[in-house]
Amino acid sequence: MTAIVNLLTRALFMSTPLILGALGEVIAERTGMMVTAVEGIFLIGAWGGFIGTYLSGNMLIGFLLATFCGLMVAMLYGLTTVYMEQHQIVMGTAIAILVTGFCTFFYRVIFGIQTTPLKIETLPVIEIPILSKIPIIGPILFSQNIITYLTYVLAIIAWYVIFKTSLGLTMRSCGENAEAADVAGIPVRRVRFLAVAVAGCLGGIAGAYYPICSVGMYTSEIIDGRGWIAFGICFLGNWSPLGSLAFGIIFGISEALGVYVKALGIAGVPSELFSALPYFLVIVLTVVRRQFRAPAQLGSNYIKDE
């Protein structure tokens, strides 16, 4: 039982950045914007989070710098796609590649070529009094860091805003029928741009989670495709924050299971097989799902007739 509790505790811990990134994707894609620069946003968030924390000695500064970096990349993506009407997938991929080179180059400019990785302290766990002592569920749900707690609250808030408020209706209108929304007086481009900006902020925090909360260091491979997993979680969750929360936990379990089994060192089984488990799960679940309720104009730029 202890092993299962530890596994699930680790799963919630590892699911947090995936859920954060997926929530940002849900917000943007509900307005029709497919933020394919998500991998680059995660990476520059990790880069900014580590550098901000290492140079200042303050984790809050690290998260703020990560948020700013994610926002800048998202604004570049929004400018080129929303206002310059460039292809969303092509621009997102190009920006992600650009960010990879940017992070590698400026990390070396700031720190030089290190023979051993630079280290920072990781965010501590906060045990909620009384609740963390509840058998089984206490350690799983109430012995996490502050970012994990806030992420689960944010998922509920995002669901309420998107589906129960006029702001959410405005967002969904831009993704379902941008022309009708424009006729109704909704500034479609502004709504889409702001949604992409919010996705960038959340993606930046998600990326910073890895160096600040998990490994305490930065490498160019630290994200390793997890931005794309968050992108897939948005699809699998049917563009719902609560759906993304559920699938984020599933992927957290798969990632934690991969780490756990790999640590056991089962003879004859390659460790890379378990490292690939979350990515394999994306493919399997996407193929198995038969129905997706995607926004009608997802990925389509709105070109306003003058």
Side-chain angles (χ1 to χ4, degrees):
M1 182 59 70
T2 302
I4 295 176
V5 170
N6 291 338
L7 175 66
L8 293 178
T9 302
R10 183 69 179 176
L12 261 66
F13 172 82
M14 300 183 81
S15 70
T16 299
L18 300 178
I19 295 170
L20 268 176
L23 289 177
E25 279 295 323
V26 169
I27 291 170
E29 294 191 15
R30 276 291 174 179
T31 68
M33 294 301 298
M34 188 181 295
V35 187
T36 51
V38 60
E39 182 77 4
I41 292 172
F42 265 52
L43 181 59
I44 203 166
W47 178 86
F50 176 82
I51 288 178
T53 303
Y54 185 85
L55 295 180
S56 70
N58 189 315
M59 295 179 185
L60 178 59
I61 298 297
F63 276 115
L64 289 176
L65 182 57
T67 303
F68 176 76
C69 290
L71 175 62
M72 290 298 100
V73 174
M75 290 179 69
L76 174 61
Y77 176 78
L79 176 66
T80 55
T81 55
V82 176
Y83 290 105
M84 298 177 67
E85 301 166 0
Q86 300 301 307
H87 195 283
Q88 293 183 21
I89 296 176
V90 173
M91 286 308 305
T93 304
I95 289 174
I97 295 171
L98 173 66
V99 167
T100 301
F102 175 93
C103 292
T104 300
F105 177 76
F106 281 100
Y107 184 85
R108 291 180 179 176
V109 168
I110 296 171
F111 297 115
I113 299 176
Q114 300 294 319
T115 55
T116 57
L118 302 175
K119 294 280 190 175
I120 58 174
E121 294 292 325
T122 55
L123 194 66
V125 168
I126 299 175
E127 294 187 352
I128 299 178
I130 301 176
L131 295 178
S132 62
K133 303 303 180 183
I134 299 174
I136 302 178
I137 67 171
I140 297 173
L141 298 178
F142 305 113
S143 295
Q144 302 286 346
N145 61 59
I146 185 63
I147 303 299
T148 298
Y149 294 133
L150 293 177
T151 296
Y152 287 90
V153 173
L154 180 62
I156 297 172
I157 294 174
W159 176 85
Y160 181 82
V161 170
I162 290 174
F163 294 107
K164 300 295 181 180
T165 67
S166 58
L167 174 60
L169 179 60
T170 296
M171 293 167 56
R172 288 183 284 125
S173 298
C174 293
E176 295 294 340
N177 193 326
E179 292 78 9
D182 188 32
V183 170
I186 296 173
V188 174
R189 288 184 170 180
R190 187 186 308 166
V191 170
R192 289 187 168 189
F193 184 82
L194 291 175
V196 169
V198 171
C201 292
L202 293 179
I205 296 172
Y209 188 90
Y210 292 101
I212 299 178
C213 301
S214 183
V215 298
M217 55 182 283
Y218 172 84
T219 69
S220 58
E221 296 83 23
I222 191 169
I223 300 304
D224 198 23
R226 292 183 179 92
W228 290 117
I229 292 179
F231 187 85
I233 288 172
C234 171
F235 276 70
L236 294 169
N238 264 329
W239 294 269
S240 167
L242 296 185
S244 295
L245 175 63
F247 277 96
I249 293 174
I250 291 173
F251 279 92
I253 293 173
S254 73
E255 190 166 356
L257 182 62
V259 173
Y260 183 74
V261 174
K262 187 167 63 172
L264 293 178
I266 300 176
V269 180
S271 61
E272 291 80 7
L273 178 64
F274 297 103
S275 299
L277 186 58
Y279 310 97
F280 179 70
L281 190 59
V282 172
I283 298 173
V284 172
L285 292 178
T286 303
V287 171
V288 169
R289 288 293 295 271
R290 296 300 181 186
Q291 290 184 336
F292 289 99
R293 295 188 296 272
Q297 295 186 340
L298 177 62
S300 300
N301 292 334
Y302 176 57
I303 302 175
K304 185 174 181 178
D305 295 330
E306 301 295 341

